[in-house]
């Protein structure tokens, strides 16, 4: 039997349209995880982040609009390590989407399998104010971790969309190759900073410091989430002077004033670093986030002239 060419054409279009399933609806808790999911998933995913890049991810309002968004989601990608403990359980419950419950295939804890820094040796109690009870949750701030998270996300997307496994593999490989070539350039740029002592506001830059060889000797927050007392500030001033510390790392979302006051009383200068994708101009995806971080560090480095 001969099929009329027009019918064949209509049939092919129908197959092409049907063969391309709707993108997976993904909700991520942070913009970093959204960016990594997009990098790996490409047009196979439609990703929305809950927290904005400029927002402190420890403290997010559990709004009904987020629950509605999660109700129709195929996948929730979250940070874990209790970063979202104050709000995500409320959203998951409110979404009434059983697929997003921990342990289901629609819930991905992105910290799975990652090396985690500062895991407490004894049990901490949040009532003492520490908001990092399972170790430092800001692990996306090293591209070495991002590289591994991309693989974790790819595996889960492939599980949910086995027909697209080859495309997901390809996209993940391309992203990791781009990231790797950047990583070596960034490492070259940062080579002279190795061993440099800095102060940070929140315990947020440990993964970055670990990667680049910076040494964070003290924090403006006495404990993660706890603002400094005047006594602690005096101690920091003394420390900056005796150890000749020239840089204070401050995340975009924290109160700018304590770091500024420290800088005014010492020779140290403050560098504001975007703490997530979208937190500063030009940091619109995972790789450009590190471009901005490294550029800001570079322009804030003390000049060596005059010894
Ligand atoms: Zn934190």
């Amino acid at each position: 039997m001969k099929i009329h060419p027009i019918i064949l054409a209509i049939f092919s279009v129908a197959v092409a349209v049907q063969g391309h399933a709707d993108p997976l609806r993904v909700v991520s808790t942070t913009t970093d995880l959204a960016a990594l999911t997009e990098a790996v998933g490409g047009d196979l995913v439609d990703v929305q982040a809950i927290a904005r890049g400029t927002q402190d991810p420890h403290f997010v309002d559990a709004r009904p609009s987020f629950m509605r968004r999660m109700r129709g989601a195929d996948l929730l990608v979250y940070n874990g390590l209790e970063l979202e403990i104050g709000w995500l359980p409320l959203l998951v419950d409110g979404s009434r989407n059983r697929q997003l419950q921990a342990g289901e295939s629609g819930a991905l804890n992105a910290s799975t399998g990652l090396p985690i820094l500062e895991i407490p040796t004894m049990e901490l109690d949040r009532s003492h104010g520490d908001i990092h009870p399972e170790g430092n949750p800001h692990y996306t701030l090293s591209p070495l971790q991002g590289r591994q998270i991309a693989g974790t996300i790819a595996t889960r997307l492939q599980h949910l969309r086995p027909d697209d496994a080859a495309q997901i593999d390809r996209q993940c490989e391309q992203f990791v190759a781009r990231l790797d070539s950047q990583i070596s350039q960034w490492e070259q740029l940062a080579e002279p900073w190795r061993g440099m002592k800095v102060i940070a506001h929140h315990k947020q830059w440990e993964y970055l410091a670990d990667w680049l060889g910076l040494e964070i000797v003290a924090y403006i927050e006495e404990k993660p989430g706890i603002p400094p007392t005047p006594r602690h500030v005096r101690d920091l001033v003394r420390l900056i002077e005796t150890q000749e510390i020239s840089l204070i790392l401050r995340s975009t979302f924290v109160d700018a004033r304590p770091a500024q006051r420290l800088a005014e009383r010492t020779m140290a200068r403050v560098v504001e670093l975007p703490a997530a994708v979208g937190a500063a101009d030009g940091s619109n995806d995972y790789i450009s986030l590190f471009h901005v971080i490294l550029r800001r560090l570079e322009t804030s480095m003390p000049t060596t002239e005059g010894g």
Side-chain angles (χ1 to χ4, degrees):
M1 188 183 81
K2 269 200 100 171
I3 300 171
H4 194 280
I6 289 179
I7 294 183
L8 188 64
I10 291 169
F11 180 71
S12 323
V13 168
V15 166
V17 168
Q18 232 199 347
H20 202 93
D22 284 344
L24 275 173
R25 286 157 302 177
V26 184
V27 171
S28 71
T29 53
T30 67
T31 52
D32 288 5
L33 294 175
L36 286 165
T37 307
E38 267 163 9
V40 169
D43 59 6
L44 299 172
V45 292
D46 172 10
V47 192
Q48 285 189 301
I50 293 175
R52 293 187 306 276
T54 48
Q55 219 174 350
D56 183 343
H58 287 289
F59 306 102
V60 173
D61 283 337
R63 284 196 253 146
S65 60
F66 297 143
M67 297 175 193
R68 283 195 294 276
R69 193 183 297 168
M70 287 166 65
R71 191 159 302 159
D74 302 302
L75 177 64
L76 166 68
V77 183
Y78 65 102
N79 191 91
L81 302 176
E82 300 208 357
L83 179 75
E84 308 102 333
I85 192 84
W87 50 278
L88 188 59
L90 292 168
L91 290 180
V92 171
D93 277 355
S95 78
R96 300 209 199 94
N97 182 343
R98 293 186 66 85
Q99 274 308 301
L100 307 189
Q101 299 277 352
E104 298 291 339
S105 63
L108 176 60
N109 180 342
S111 72
T112 309
L114 284 182
I116 296 304
L117 299 175
E118 301 174 342
I119 294 177
T121 45
M122 38 183 222
E123 208 168 309
L124 286 179
D125 182 348
R126 278 174 74 86
S127 65
H128 293 139
D130 198 320
I131 52 177
H132 293 172
E134 292 187 2
N136 193 310
H138 304 292
Y139 55 76
T140 53
L141 288 170
S142 158
L144 303 179
Q145 303 276 64
R147 186 180 197 287
Q148 200 171 326
I149 300 161
T152 307
I153 293 172
T155 304
R156 183 60 61 92
L157 294 179
Q158 287 172 322
H159 177 78
L160 295 172
R161 280 287 158 87
D163 290 350
D164 296 316
Q167 183 181 340
I168 293 164
D169 256 342
R170 204 164 51 240
Q171 287 168 176
C172 186
E173 275 167 24
Q174 283 167 355
F175 171 69
V176 168
R178 271 178 57 220
L179 185 61
D180 278 348
S181 98
Q182 288 300 332
I183 286 173
S184 53
Q185 289 181 39
W186 291 325
E187 286 176 350
Q188 256 176 25
L189 172 70
E191 186 55 39
W193 313 339
R194 218 154 252 291
M196 183 176 185
K197 290 178 179 168
V198 300
I199 282 182
H201 182 118
H202 182 64
K203 265 183 179 275
Q204 178 141 41
W205 301 102
E206 286 55 41
Y207 294 91
L208 186 90
D210 193 51
W211 167 46
L212 298 177
L214 298 173
E215 193 188 334
I216 304 176
V217 292
Y219 297 89
I220 292 178
E221 290 179 339
E222 293 191 72
K223 277 183 188 173
I226 303 291
T229 59
R231 210 189 88 159
H232 184 59
V233 173
R234 280 198 299 278
D235 290 347
L236 288 175
V237 168
R238 204 169 315 125
L239 186 76
I240 290 172
E241 282 163 357
T242 55
Q243 303 220 17
E244 296 181 355
I245 291 160
S246 48
L247 221 51
I248 302 168
L249 313 183
R250 180 173 69 71
S251 311
T252 29
F253 64 75
V254 303
D255 181 2
R257 289 165 301 181
Q260 199 47 49
R261 278 197 290 267
L262 264 187
E264 281 159 12
R265 292 170 63 177
T266 62
M267 297 295 280
R269 58 168 100 167
V270 181
V271 53
E272 186 195 61
L273 299 180
V277 167
D281 285 349
S283 64
N284 303 321
D285 60 39
Y286 191 70
I287 289 179
S288 60
L289 170 67
F290 291 97
H291 278 313
V292 176
I293 290 173
L294 273 281
R295 202 181 317 125
R296 289 197 181 178
L297 281 172
E298 187 187 15
T299 53
S300 311
M301 283 296 157
T303 50
T304 46
E305 59 196 85

